[in-house]
Amino acid sequence: MNKPKIVILGAGYGGIITATRLQKTLSANEAEITLVNKNSYHYQTTWLHENAAGTLHHDRTRLDIKDVINPSKINFIQDTVTEIKPEDKKVVLTHGELNYDYLVIGLGFESETFGIKGLKEHAFSIASINAARQIREHIDYSFSKYHNTPAEKRDELLTIIVGGAGFTGIEFVGELANRVPELCKEYDIDRDLVRIVCVEAAPMVLPGFDPELVDYAVSQLEKKGVEFKIGTAIKECTEEGIIVAKGEETEEIKSATVVWAAGVRGNALVEQAGFEAMRGRVKVTKDMRVPGYDDVFIVGDSALLIDEVNNRPYPPTAQIAIQQGFNVAHNLAVLVRGKGELEEFTPDIKGTVCSLGHDDAIGVVFGKKLTGWKASFMKKVIDNRYLFVLGGPMLVLKKGKLNLL
Ligand code: FAD
C-alpha cells in the first residue's frame, strides 16, 4: 500500500514543531513526510529585533534544520513555495512540484502596511534574518557616515523611527536604546544627538497589556532616551523620513531609518490558493483545517483563531504557533493511522513577556505580573524551553540564552 504523503510548508515555529513531533510519533513506513523551507535554517522570529538592533548576532538566532530532523523520517527540501493548488493536491516550488495527501501550511507572516503611502518602498520591516541584518547594517552605515556628511544632512542619519508601539515595536526600541550608546562610542558621536522615535496611531502603548506594566515600560524606555509619539499616525513615508499627523496637525520627521513594526498579515500564498482569508489569515476549523479542505492544515500566523471569551482573534504569536504544531502533528497521526480521536485546538496562554532590552522586560506569567530582571529572566527561560522542546539539552547549550540575568 502507498504511504500517505504529508507535505509541510515552512520551517518556522509551527512547521518545524509539526515536523519534529511527527518524526517522534510516526514510523518511517507509516508516512512519507516532506518539509519545505526557503532556507537551510530555522530561525527564532521572536529574536529578530535583537539581530536588527545589532545586540545579538544572527547566527545565534538561526539553526540548521538538519540538526533537528531525522533524515530517515523526513525529507527536507530547501526551496521556495510559489503556489499552492489545493484542487490538484499539489504545491509548486521554484525548482519543482510536490503532490500531497495532507498539507500543512506554516509559511508565517508578511508585513501589513495598510496602504500607507511609501512604506513598502522606503521602510524596513523585521520580517526575516536577512531583513534584520539589513536593518543592522543600515543603522551602522548611517552612523559611520555622520562625520563625513554636510551638517544640514547629519541629523537624519542619527534619527531612527519605529512605526508601532505594539509588541515588536517596543521590543525593538528596547534593544535599540541599549545599542545606541555602543554605536555612539564606536563612531565618536554624542549620544544626545541620536533620536529613537516610536510613533503609534493608537492612543496607548502595548494595547492589551496591563496598564501598570505599560507605564513601567514607557518610563524605562524614556529614561533610555526613547521618544514616544502616541495617538500619532504615519501618513506617508518618503526617502527622507515620515509625515505624521496628530489631529489636524502634521509634522515631517527626517530620518534615514524608518522601521515599520505595526502590522502583520498572513502569507499571501494562502490567499492566492483560493482559501477564504482575512489579511492572509484563514479562519481554521477547531482541528486546524481549512474549511472545505479536510486535507489542508494551517499552523502559525496564517491561521486565524477566535478567542470565544471576547470574540476577537487571538494575536499571532510563537506561543500559539508552537502549540498548534503539537496539535496538528497529533491530528495527522490519527488520520494516517485511521484510529484515535482528532483533537480540537485551544490555546493555552501561559503568559506573555515583552522585553525592553536584554536586561529588562515586563510580563504576566501564570497570572503574576513581573517587571525588570525577573521578567527578563522569565523571557530567557521561555526561549530556552522552546529550544529544549525542539532539540533537547544540546540545542539549549548550543543556541540558548545561558546568561539568564
Ligand atoms: P514563522 O516563524 O514566521 O516562519 C515561517 C517560515 O516559513 C520561515 O522559516 C520562512 O523562511 C518560511 N517561508 C516563508 N515563505 C516561504 C516560501 N514561500 N517558501 C518556503 N518557505 C517560506 N511571539 C511570541 O509568542 N512571543 C514573542 O516574544 C514574540 N516576539 C516577536 C518579536 C518579533 C521581532 C517578531 C517579528 C515577532 C514576534 N512574535 C512573538 C510573533 C512570532 O514570532 C510569530 O507569531 C511566529 O513567528 C509565527 O510563527 P509561524 O510558524 O507562523 O512562522
Side-chain angles (χ1 to χ4, degrees):
M1 203 179 93
N2 280 344
K3 290 187 280 186
K5 290 190 171 85
I6 300 175
V7 173
I8 303 166
L9 306 180
Y13 292 101
I16 201 130
I17 289 291
T18 307
T20 50
R21 296 317 295 174
L22 277 176
Q23 77 184 3
K24 282 204 167 92
T25 316
L26 293 178
S27 68
N29 47 29
E30 284 181 291
E32 189 183 311
I33 306 169
T34 304
L35 172 67
V36 183
N37 195 59
K38 234 183 229 179
N39 308 110
S40 61
Y41 54 82
H42 161 74
Y43 55 84
Q44 294 229 54
T45 310
T46 58
W47 296 6
L48 288 179
H49 58 288
E50 297 172 63
N51 307 139
T55 49
L56 183 76
H57 193 273
H58 55 269
D59 281 340
R60 290 283 313 284
T61 299
R62 60 182 174 180
L63 56 100
D64 241 319
I65 290 172
K66 292 217 163 105
D67 285 352
V68 291
I69 60 161
N70 175 351
S72 69
K73 293 210 176 155
I74 295 183
N75 171 32
F76 172 60
I77 299 180
Q78 185 187 341
D79 206 340
T80 300
V81 181
T82 56
E83 197 181 349
I84 299 166
K85 295 178 163 180
E87 310 304 339
D88 304 336
K89 288 166 130 356
K90 197 178 268 187
V91 173
V92 185
L93 313 177
T94 305
H95 302 288
E97 284 189 351
L98 291 171
N99 295 309
Y100 63 80
D101 296 300
Y102 297 107
L103 182 68
V104 181
I105 303 174
L107 294 171
F109 67 94
E110 290 178 2
S111 177
E112 169 64 273
T113 53
F114 306 107
I116 299 171
K117 201 171 157 196
L119 269 183
K120 266 198 188 124
E121 295 77 9
H122 305 297
F124 297 98
S125 77
I126 311 173
S128 65
I129 287 274
N130 287 322
R133 290 171 76 170
Q134 195 189 356
I135 295 169
R136 186 200 65 210
E137 299 283 340
H138 175 84
I139 292 174
D140 260 67
Y141 182 55
S142 300
F143 275 62
S144 75
K145 284 204 296 193
Y146 180 77
H147 290 291
N148 294 315
T149 298
E152 68 280 9
K153 285 270 181 196
R154 281 180 174 181
D155 289 353
E156 60 202 66
L157 292 173
L158 304 184
T159 302
I160 304 167
I161 289 168
V162 179
F167 210 90
T168 305
I170 290 299
E171 289 205 318
F172 181 51
V173 292
E175 292 299 324
L176 270 181
N178 281 356
R179 171 83 166 123
V180 158
E182 277 173 26
L183 279 171
C184 289
K185 207 164 162 205
E186 202 172 327
Y187 293 106
D188 305 316
I189 289 167
D190 178 356
R191 167 65 184 92
D192 291 342
L193 297 174
V194 180
R195 290 181 72 193
I196 303 171
V197 187
C198 182
V199 183
E200 170 59 58
M204 80 276 282
V205 167
L206 286 171
F209 248 80
D210 179 276
E212 198 187 327
L213 296 178
V214 172
D215 285 350
Y216 173 89
V218 171
S219 128
Q220 290 295 96
L221 293 171
E222 281 179 340
K223 273 189 217 147
K224 289 187 189 176
V226 177
E227 291 171 48
F228 285 97
K229 286 187 178 287
I230 303 304
T232 305
I234 296 183
K235 290 291 170 194
E236 188 178 343
C237 182
T238 66
E239 249 175 66
E240 310 206 307
I242 54 167
I243 296 161
V244 295
K246 186 169 188 168
E248 298 292 295
E249 283 181 26
T250 59
E251 181 192 356
E252 179 179 16
I253 310 173
K254 297 220 168 181
S255 163
T257 313
V258 179
V259 178
W260 178 245
V264 293
R265 46 167 292 126
N267 193 300
L269 290 171
V270 170
E271 238 160 23
Q272 288 157 16
F275 304 138
E276 203 182 314
M278 284 182 274
R279 293 194 200 289
R281 302 179 76 196
V282 175
K283 194 171 162 197
V284 287
T285 61
K286 289 199 184 303
D287 53 19
M288 299 304 302
R289 288 190 268 190
V290 177
Y293 296 87
D294 278 354
D295 48 1
V296 183
F297 292 82
I298 305 192
V299 286
D301 285 4
S302 295
L304 180 72
L305 280 178
I306 302 293
D307 181 350
E308 280 164 9
V309 175
N310 56 19
N311 204 26
R312 297 183 55 175
Y314 280 101
T317 65
Q319 185 175 188
I320 292 180
I322 293 163
Q323 293 176 8
Q324 288 170 343
F326 276 85
N327 173 272
V328 168
H330 167 87
N331 286 346
L332 280 168
V334 168
L335 291 170
V336 164
R337 290 178 174 153
K339 64 172 190 226
E341 294 284 321
L342 291 176
E343 272 175 13
E344 292 189 353
F345 177 72
T346 313
D348 175 17
I349 309 295
K350 296 187 166 42
T352 311
V353 184
C354 177
S355 81
L356 308 171
H358 74 275
D359 48 357
D360 199 359
I362 54 168
V364 179
V365 181
F366 296 117
K368 204 168 178 293
K369 284 191 229 175
L370 298 174
T371 56
W373 72 265
K374 288 182 190 160
S376 175
F377 174 87
M378 271 319 293
K379 180 98 177 162
K380 289 167 194 152
V381 169
I382 293 166
D383 290 342
N384 290 342
R385 186 180 170 275
Y386 168 68
L387 290 172
F388 184 80
V389 168
L390 182 61
M394 288 316 284
L395 192 60
V396 180
L397 288 176
K398 207 166 151 191
K399 295 285 177 180
K401 291 190 171 165
L402 301 178
N403 185 2
L404 291 170
L405 295 176

